[in-house]
């Protein structure tokens, strides 16, 4: 982590950085946007420059922003950038669909009906925008008799988060309700379905808009390592629909509507087994 790097390399100087040949920053857009991590990254770049240390720095992310590029250019004026067109970022191994509900409660009932069928006993990740509703949704589903687990930041103990992820990877946990804390850096090839209970959003120029970058990271939790997956978004109301259309326009992609669980099952079979 950046804080570990700062403490170990820059403050304690446990290792000589003049021997460093390559530095790789994954999820670099987050590292360059978060106040805490950005300070560490900039401090590192300045250290290289002030001590004339030649280090090959590689920064990776599926969702760089213009501000990220400006910051990189500030320290690496001759930086080379390799960009992939947005329409190529929507993950070929992930089938994107949406279901239109009338209310949030209908979203809950749709998930409950899906869990009742439990096709293939697969592992499922359900994303919710807020920690409060993440807990409420877990309580609703548990009251219906479904064994679901919660993973989130904030007041959840880091050790409990690590244990929950470990049990999910082992298959001891099959249904995981989470916030954006799991949208990045998590890889499990047995996740065949990601559900956006809420369409991710963000505040931009004083108004809420769809968060297309977070959407991409969320659905990217399935379809890993050459496998296939379904990214299902639950839509209720005009705002959700507007967000979905904004995401489609951003990536120049098509998110298909399903009308029922039977439609979802049909899409699954066609998508997962069409090459056989």
């Amino acid at each position: 982590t950046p804080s570990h790097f700062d403490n170990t390399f820059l403050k304690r100087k446990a290792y000589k950085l003049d021997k460093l040949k390559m530095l790789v920053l994954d999820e670099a857009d987050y590292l360059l946007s978060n106040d805490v991590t950005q300070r560490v990254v900039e401090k590192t770049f300045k250290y290289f420059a002030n001590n004339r240390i030649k280090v090959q720095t590689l920064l990776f992310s599926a969702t760089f922003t213009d501000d990220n590029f400006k910051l990189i250019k500030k320290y690496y004026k001759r930086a080379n950038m390799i960009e992939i067109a947005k329409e190529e970022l929507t993950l070929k191994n992930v089938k994107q669909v949406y279901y239109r509900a009338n209310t949030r409660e209908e979203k809950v009932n749709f998930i409950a009906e899906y869990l009742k069928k439990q096709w293939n006993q697969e592992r499922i990740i359900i994303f919710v925008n807020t920690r409060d509703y993440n807990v409420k949704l877990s309580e609703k589903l548990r009251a219906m008799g479904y064994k679901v687990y919660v993973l989130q930041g904030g007041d959840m103990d880091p050790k409990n988060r690590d244990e929950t992820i470990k049990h999910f990877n082992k298959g001891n946990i099959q249904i995981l309700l989470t916030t954006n804390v799991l949208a990045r850096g998590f890889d499990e090839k047995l996740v065949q379905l990601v559900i956006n209970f809420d369409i991710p959003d963000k505040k931009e120029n004083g108004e809420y808009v769809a968060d297309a970058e977070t959407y991409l990271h969320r659905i990217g939790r399935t379809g890993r390592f050459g496998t296939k997956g379904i990214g299902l978004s639950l839509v209720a109301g005009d705002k959700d629909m507007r967000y979905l259309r904004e995401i489609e326009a951003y990536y120049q992609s098509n998110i298909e509507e399903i009308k029922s669980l039977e439609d979802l099952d049909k899409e699954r079979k066609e998508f997962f087994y069409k090459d056989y």
Side-chain angles (χ1 to χ4, degrees):
T1 63
S3 57
H4 176 74
F5 185 91
D6 185 23
N7 183 54
T8 304
F9 289 88
L10 301 178
K11 291 178 180 176
R12 290 174 45 218
K13 298 184 179 179
Y15 302 95
K16 293 183 177 180
L17 282 178
D18 58 351
K19 302 293 184 182
L20 186 66
K21 300 298 181 185
M22 181 184 296
L23 176 66
V24 179
L25 301 179
D26 195 16
E27 305 292 357
D29 66 311
Y30 173 79
L31 298 180
L32 297 175
S33 302
N34 178 277
D35 290 340
V36 176
T37 57
Q38 182 181 327
R39 283 197 296 270
V40 177
V41 171
E42 289 200 77
K43 185 177 179 181
T44 304
F45 290 167
K46 287 178 182 177
Y47 184 90
F48 292 155
N50 293 339
N51 292 277
R52 297 185 178 180
I53 299 174
K54 293 184 179 180
V55 178
Q56 183 182 30
T57 304
L58 305 176
L59 302 96
F60 294 93
S61 175
T63 51
F64 273 119
T65 66
D66 291 339
D67 287 340
N68 295 153
F69 286 134
K70 288 178 184 177
L71 183 59
I72 294 168
K73 282 291 190 180
K74 177 181 175 182
Y75 295 96
Y76 297 94
K77 299 189 185 305
R78 293 185 296 170
N80 294 310
M81 300 182 186
I82 301 175
E83 296 182 70
I84 299 174
K86 289 176 183 176
E87 58 268 25
E88 295 181 30
L89 286 174
T90 49
L91 309 172
K92 294 179 181 178
N93 288 346
V94 179
K95 177 74 173 181
Q96 300 174 72
V97 297
Y98 74 93
Y99 174 78
R100 191 194 296 261
N102 292 315
T103 63
R104 248 188 169 191
E105 285 306 309
E106 278 194 24
K107 290 185 180 183
V108 176
N109 293 334
F110 185 89
I111 290 177
E113 287 300 312
Y114 180 88
L115 298 181
K116 186 187 296 183
K117 293 181 179 295
Q118 285 265 310
W119 288 308
N120 298 328
Q121 298 292 309
E122 83 274 31
R123 270 164 259 186
I124 304 167
I125 299 175
I126 302 173
F127 282 101
V128 180
N129 283 354
T130 66
R131 293 196 297 266
D132 286 345
Y133 196 78
N134 197 33
V135 173
K136 287 181 182 178
L137 180 58
S138 70
E139 292 171 348
K140 289 174 183 286
L141 293 173
R142 286 170 183 165
M144 295 176 183
Y146 299 107
K147 194 175 182 180
V148 300
Y149 292 80
V150 169
L151 182 80
Q152 59 190 28
D155 55 359
M156 187 173 186
D157 186 271
K159 290 183 179 179
N160 289 342
R161 284 201 298 269
D162 291 343
E163 284 297 312
T164 301
I165 292 174
K166 187 184 298 182
H167 284 298
F168 187 69
N169 284 334
K170 288 182 178 179
N172 301 330
I173 294 173
Q174 289 182 311
I175 307 160
L176 199 57
L177 308 183
T178 187
T179 55
N180 289 333
V181 71
L182 202 68
R184 296 170 179 262
F186 175 78
D187 298 307
E188 173 51 66
K189 65 180 181 181
L190 295 180
V191 175
Q192 292 188 341
L193 176 67
V194 167
I195 299 176
N196 284 313
F197 185 91
D198 294 316
I199 310 294
D201 62 4
K202 62 182 178 181
K203 204 166 187 178
E204 200 171 80
N205 299 323
E207 295 183 1
Y208 281 97
V209 297
D211 188 344
E213 291 88 355
T214 295
Y215 171 86
L216 182 68
H217 285 291
R218 283 184 180 184
I219 67 170
R221 297 314 97 204
T222 186
R224 311 296 291 179
F225 309 110
T227 62
K228 293 182 178 181
I230 300 278
L232 168 65
S233 296
L234 301 181
V235 176
D238 294 339
K239 185 176 73 172
D240 280 358
M241 202 67 233
R242 174 169 59 83
Y243 286 170
L244 198 73
R245 296 308 181 208
E246 288 174 4
I247 290 168
E248 283 186 312
Y250 186 85
Y251 291 115
Q252 299 179 35
S253 63
N254 179 40
I255 305 174
E256 298 178 14
E257 183 178 10
I258 58 167
K259 298 286 189 179
S260 63
L261 283 174
E262 288 69 26
D263 282 353
L264 179 59
D265 190 26
K266 182 180 177 181
E267 290 286 350
R268 289 165 55 90
K269 289 175 180 176
E270 290 180 355
F271 184 61
F272 283 110
Y273 305 113
K274 66 179 179 181
D275 296 329
Y276 294 95

